[in-house]
Amino acid sequence: MQALFGLVHDLMVRGHTDALMGTIARRREREGVDRQMSQVAGVGHDVLEGDRTGEGEPVGEDGSRAEGGGVTGRVRAALSWFARFVWSTIVGEWRGIVVAPLRELVHRRLGGLSLAFVATFAVIFFHAIHVTPSGAVVVRLLGEVRADLPLPLALLRTPVSLFVPALDLPVWAGITQLFLAFALAELSLGRARTLMVAYATTLAGTLSVRVMIAIGPGWWGLGLPPEIGQVLDTGPSAAVVGLFSYLAVVRRAPVLFAFTGGSMVLECLVKPNLAAREHLIAIAAAIVLGLCHGRFRTRTEAADEAPVRPGP
């Protein structure tokens, strides 16, 4: 009996040992398979990361990447940045040039356009009487400006000449531009500054003609012959160009400035007459006035923000 029990015990121990060894072998086999799968997955992950970062791109002898996906990505990024910049510029300019004046118009009603209406009606009135014999005499005595006139008389007639349109130009197209320029300027700048800019840019063009005639022909095309002094120099076009240019400078509106300045440069190239030169002078005068206004405003704000020292 004792030998029988010993035999049974040995069989049971051997069975447990075999089962335990089988379990260990199967576990080791599963661990090996898992390790192989992890290595394969790691290689695939590295390949994907290389594709994303461009590490898999061909490299030249100097260590730089070859032309391909990297250049395309940089071009796309540059185009995306440029598109965002253009869009933000247009949106900001739309708010400053259009939305802000419209809000001011809602607040002030039609009273905010009184100067624009007066300027428009003045142009229509002088154009209507200019085509009649008696009205032409009145216009000539009040608003006719030429470079061969005495300077005091020309300065006296310049404010009226601003509203005397040229008979050889389409008056209704000019009236539309005049109303828009004066309306935006009046709502954005106020009546006093609008009149000041309009008169200053017109006067700059009128005086520049005298300087060009004094220089004489030549001088790389800057001078003018004396016969130009007999050309009639009236109309609101210089004021309109000056107001748009001044608004573009003080409101930091590059699109408006490029459109205004570019159209005037094109006009000077296509039709280099006296009016085209005066328009360029008006743009230059508006730029100077706008920069001076910005400098004066910066100094004023700095003086207001400076701390006040107590007296002794």
Side-chain angles (χ1 to χ4, degrees):
M1 290 295 293
Q2 194 173 10
L4 181 60
F5 283 127
L7 179 60
V8 171
H9 180 267
D10 292 340
L11 291 175
M12 292 179 63
V13 170
R14 186 178 300 172
H16 283 294
T17 301
D18 293 340
L20 181 60
M21 293 299 294
T23 303
I24 292 174
R26 287 192 298 273
R27 182 177 298 175
R28 288 179 177 177
E29 184 178 358
R30 285 197 301 269
E31 290 178 354
V33 173
D34 293 340
R35 189 178 297 109
Q36 293 178 358
M37 294 295 295
S38 299
Q39 292 177 356
V40 173
V43 171
H45 179 71
D46 294 339
V47 171
L48 291 176
E49 289 296 325
D51 291 340
R52 291 194 190 101
T53 59
E55 294 178 356
E57 298 178 0
V59 180
E61 295 180 357
D62 57 350
S64 61
R65 293 180 182 175
E67 298 292 333
V71 176
T72 304
R74 288 193 292 271
V75 170
R76 290 179 179 176
L79 292 177
S80 177
W81 174 86
F82 181 74
R84 290 195 300 269
F85 172 76
V86 172
W87 176 252
S88 62
T89 302
I90 293 176
V91 171
E93 191 163 335
W94 174 264
R95 292 174 179 174
I97 300 297
V98 179
V99 176
L102 286 178
R103 290 177 178 174
E104 188 69 18
L105 178 61
V106 171
H107 175 69
R108 297 168 58 183
R109 305 294 181 180
L110 291 179
L113 300 177
S114 58
L115 182 59
F117 282 121
V118 170
T120 303
F121 290 147
V123 171
I124 295 175
F125 171 76
F126 281 111
H127 181 268
I129 68 173
H130 201 181
V131 296
T132 62
S134 57
V137 175
V138 174
V139 172
R140 181 175 60 82
L141 294 176
L142 294 179
E144 186 176 286
V145 174
R146 299 189 309 270
D148 60 355
L149 291 177
L151 182 58
L153 183 60
L155 294 178
L156 186 63
R157 292 180 179 180
T158 299
V160 180
S161 70
L162 195 152
F163 304 105
V164 178
L167 295 178
D168 58 340
L169 296 178
V171 63
W172 295 110
I175 287 176
T176 304
Q177 298 175 6
L178 172 73
F179 181 81
L180 183 61
F182 272 82
L184 291 177
E186 183 179 3
L187 293 172
S188 302
L189 310 174
R191 296 189 186 97
R193 190 149 42 126
T194 299
L195 280 176
M196 185 271 294
V197 173
Y199 180 73
T201 51
T202 302
L203 185 61
T206 300
L207 296 179
S208 66
V209 176
R210 294 176 177 265
V211 175
M212 294 177 190
I213 294 177
I215 293 175
W219 287 81
W220 298 282
L222 295 178
L224 292 173
E227 295 78 16
I228 298 297
Q230 301 177 2
V231 176
L232 190 63
D233 183 18
T234 60
S237 58
V240 171
V241 173
L243 287 174
F244 278 130
S245 301
Y246 184 85
L247 278 174
V249 173
V250 297
R251 297 300 183 188
R252 292 179 174 85
V255 177
L256 177 61
F257 183 82
F259 180 77
T260 304
S263 60
M264 293 302 103
V265 171
L266 182 62
E267 177 194 15
C268 190
L269 294 176
V270 174
K271 192 177 180 180
N273 54 9
L274 182 62
R277 295 190 180 211
E278 289 191 356
H279 293 165
L280 294 181
I281 296 298
I283 292 176
I287 293 174
V288 173
L289 291 174
L291 294 178
C292 291
H293 170 73
R295 189 179 183 87
F296 175 76
R297 184 176 180 180
T298 302
R299 289 185 176 182
T300 304
E301 292 177 354
D304 293 339
E305 294 177 358
V308 179
R309 297 181 179 180

